Amino acid sequence: MRFPSPLRKGDRIDFVAPSFGVTTEPYATRFEASLRRFEKLGYELNVFPNVYKNEGIAGSASPEERGKEINEAFASPSKAVISVGGGETMIEILPFVDFDLIARLEPKFFMGYSDNTNLTFLLPTLCDTVSIYGPHAGSFYAYPFRYAEKDALRMLQGEKDFFGYPKYSISKNDPEHPLWRYRLTQEKIIHAYNYDGPFEGTFLGGCLDCLVSLCGTRFDKVKGFQKKHPKGIVWFLESCDLNAIAIRRALFQLKEAGWFDNAKGFLIGRPLHSEFCFDVGPEECVLDLLSPLGLPILYNVDLGHIPPAMPILSGAEGKVSLEEGNLHIQYK
């Protein structure tokens, strides 16, 4: 597995829009404030044109244009590529992304989450390159950085030791007050199942909505990845639009496709849609599908669309432990 070199002051960061661009509030204002912050921290910035577009079908530009932008960013002299946002149709850019080229180039970090699973997942499985399932570029608008944003920058800089956060937020994005910070108001309790101590493996996963769409396509090389990582996979999973039953169906599909054949454990993030469906909730659906494997499951960890969400090094090896009720990840 290729590990990108740490980001240092003076290095160039490329900002791309492989899914949505930043054309609406609060995202436009947050992104501009984040750019000013990165600049003050001493980084060289390069913003690709699609970032300010909304010309595609549920995307910043056509799939071909967005794929071309990714190829150019990975071939550029930057040391990191950060997505400006998630969205809905990033999967359509994959036929236009030159994964063979990316695998030959010097590795660099790509960071994003949600729809960006389409790259954060495929970079390890197709290009043997570690990526970061972490905050979008517009999340760095408030300084000093806290929680996920602070950890994401530490991760880009080469740090390998991370803890979960004390509480979580249910505050909504407010277009009229784009620079307001989220507040940690909700008590967090991680539910541990089949857990009797730390477990290790290679981290792989992302947004379940995207993973189930990738499963079975020509981009699905999970079986080959499993052979390269015989010590097993620590799966990190969260969901955006899926209701409880859709989460159940998605896990069933991945399980039957053999994705969990050498799993070592599961980190399950807070689902964005946690309401019950047919009198069952997401947690019950997850347990029904995964607990028969007899592997550790940590449910309700700081991962996903409800902030703050820990950045995860996708493709990296590491150890997971639960310490005083909080998640601790140490990467190798």
Side-chain angles (χ1 to χ4, degrees), residues 165-190:
Y165 311 121
K167 296 182 180 182
Y168 68 94
S169 171
I170 57 172
S171 56
K172 303 292 185 181
N173 288 326
D174 185 350
E176 295 184 3
H177 302 92
L179 299 182
W180 278 7
R181 283 187 167 195
Y182 58 79
R183 295 179 297 134
L184 303 193
T185 58
Q186 307 301 303
E187 296 294 331
K188 180 189 71 178
I189 300 176
I190 295 176

Side-chain angles (χ1 to χ4, degrees), residues 65-173:
E65 289 176 289
R66 287 181 277 152
K68 180 182 177 183
E69 182 174 86
I70 290 298
N71 297 333
E72 291 176 354
F74 274 92
S76 82
S78 68
K79 289 296 182 68
V81 181
I82 305 180
S83 174
V84 299
E88 303 292 343
T89 62
M90 187 172 164
I91 194 170
E92 296 178 14
I93 79 169
L94 299 182
F96 306 106
V97 176
D98 193 338
F99 290 104
D100 290 334
L101 171 66
I102 294 173
R104 295 194 303 269
L105 294 169
E106 188 75 18
K108 66 176 69 174
F109 278 124
F110 174 83
M111 185 167 74
Y113 81 102
S114 190
D115 208 20
N116 292 278
T117 295
N118 289 288
L119 276 186
T120 60
F121 184 80
L122 294 183
L123 288 169
T125 59
L126 298 186
C127 305
D128 287 323
T129 301
V130 170
S131 63
I132 299 177
Y133 192 76
H136 299 139
S139 298
F140 296 85
Y141 60 92
Y143 194 81
F145 297 142
R146 304 179 304 165
Y147 310 118
E149 294 74 33
K150 182 178 179 180
D151 282 345
L153 187 58
R154 290 178 57 234
M155 189 172 277
L156 286 165
Q157 294 170 341
E159 297 290 333
K160 304 268 193 320
D161 200 326
F162 299 89
F163 285 89
Y165 311 121
K167 296 182 180 182
Y168 68 94
S169 171
I170 57 172
S171 56
K172 303 292 185 181
N173 288 326

